[in-house]
Amino acid sequence: MNKERKQMKRFSSRALPVASALAMMVAAPAAAEPTEEMRAAAITGVDDRAELVQEMVDSIFSFAEPGFQEFQTQAYVTQILEANGFTIELGSAGIPSAWTATWTHGQGGPKIGLGSDVDALLGLSQVPGVGEVTPQIPGAPGHGEGHNSGMAVMVAAALAVKDIMEAEDIPGTLMIWPGIAEELLATKAFFVREGMFDGVDANIFTHVSRDFSTSYGRGRGNGMVSVEYTFHGKTSHGAGAPWAGRSALDGVELMNIAWNMRREHLPITQRSHYVITNGGGQPNIVPGEASVWYYFRDHTFEGIRELYDIGNTISEAAAAATGTTVERRTLGYAAPQWANKPMAEAAFANIQAVGMPEWTEEDQAFALMLQETNELDVEPLVTEIEEMEADEEFTPTGGGSDDIGDIMWTVPTITIRFPSNVPSMIGHNVTAAMAMATPIAHKGAVAGAKAVALTTLDLLTTPELLAEAKRYQEEVQFAEDTYAPVLSEEDMPGIHLNTEIMARMRPQMQEYYYDPERYDSYLEQLGIAYPTGATE
């Protein structure tokens, strides 16, 4: 029996007294709002798994796997869920590191999806609990977005709800799924295309934040299409006979120049950026092949497609001008987001009921230390929950993307943001990783799990809520727009991405994997004092 199964035997056995007590206390009908006793049991069920939450947050932080390479995370999480009776399917939508875990009680009942991203970011390796920029392994990936915390939220919530479903004979299905390669915006559209959410009645998504919140309506961020353009030319000696060659790199550079000239004449809502992924081999060889990778972002399906079409036209013009040819590959897509209002209102009531974590003086001191050390704005950990606002009341002016949007256009979906990080940290930067394996991350994830558990109970036991959620999607969301991704049947997931870097980095990274059987926390394993960040 491996260590993950041993720890799950320990945690699953803790929940049995709670389930037994519920069976004696309550006999509520399946199709009714959750009773106060059931809600209290959900909170208790999460609290009883606080140690599991800490172990999962710290373990996935230590794995630090980038998009399409989340295999250690996959094995770790699915073993925990399988030990608790979930049925595991690996390789969802043809993506090897993807999976689903389902558990069903009784006949019929709603099917509720519970998902969160799990991938890390390239080059953001960081020792947790310290304020200085300190790579654990130089050049390795790291959790500079905090995606190590969300799956712990979902697993703890699902196990707490599972106990109640069994004790109260509530029919339904729970489906836990991971956001694979979210930083590449590269999988959820494929999940939808391949039918992974067929039969799902509602979906709850989570994301790490500095606060505790949810929202509804059109998202403030952008949708996006990810495209790599590869130019093909003809090699020759760069000094001896440059006229005999046709430079693929010239095609890439001319495309980039043309796109940058066009920016002035694009809508202010758009965001676009690129990296040259292949610039040739060495200077004295005219490059016969070169590639550039673009993200085109806007806040409507039409706007995204227009940027995509402009990019394609410019690439072809650049190829014509340089005597080269060009081919393109769509690597990913993220639809504009639209969160469900009835579900958000139910979730926000639960967020208010749970409340913010009780931050200690040590937690606040650690947050202050991070901010001051990195010369960031000083702001204490959030202690109050702000009123929920409708995203649809804001005019998007550009911003990031999340491919949860594709699922939002498939099944009623919301995002619950939970308070596991420190204010003022820089996104996609090592500062955003510094707190992600500390008590702040652990407490925030426990709070998030409680809100998810309560909202899942609402969806399972209140048919009116599901009906309202579906009605809102049909009458409001679908009245505004139609799901129209820039993704063809021929487009396939970029499962080759990050393979080479992990082949080089994983052996070094394995030496730093967290061992919860020997240490109470990852900080203890690394010998880091909290909250000072000093090495013990």
Side-chain angles (χ1 to χ4, degrees), residues 160-241:
V161 171
K162 176 177 177 284
D163 289 341
I164 299 169
M165 292 173 70
E166 290 176 319
E168 298 304 317
D169 197 22
I170 300 172
T173 298
L174 304 177
M175 183 182 84
I176 302 177
W177 58 273
I180 297 298
E182 187 277 334
E183 300 297 357
L184 303 172
L185 288 305
T187 59
K188 297 188 184 77
F190 292 103
F191 289 168
V192 168
R193 191 185 72 180
E194 299 304 315
M196 199 169 102
F197 288 85
D198 292 352
V200 174
D201 293 287
N203 181 71
I204 301 174
F205 185 68
T206 60
H207 199 280
V208 63
S209 182
R210 60 187 289 277
D211 59 12
F212 203 3
S213 64
T214 190
S215 56
Y216 63 88
R218 189 184 294 276
R220 303 185 196 187
N222 281 321
M224 189 206 75
V225 60
S226 165
V227 192
E228 186 175 49
Y229 297 91
T230 298
F231 288 78
H232 299 279
K234 180 181 179 182
T235 64
S236 67
H237 195 294

Side-chain angles (χ1 to χ4, degrees), residues 101-106 108-113 165 170-175 456 460:
T102 55
W103 178 84
T104 299
H105 180 74
K111 184 175 183 179
I112 309 302
M165 292 173 70
I170 300 172
T173 298
L174 304 177
M175 183 182 84
T456 303
L460 287 167

Side-chain angles (χ1 to χ4, degrees), residues 42-43 46 153 156-158 160-161 204 350 448-458:
I43 298 296
V46 172
V153 171
V161 171
I204 301 174
N350 292 325
K450 292 175 182 178
V452 170
L454 292 173
T455 307
T456 303
L457 273 181
D458 288 337

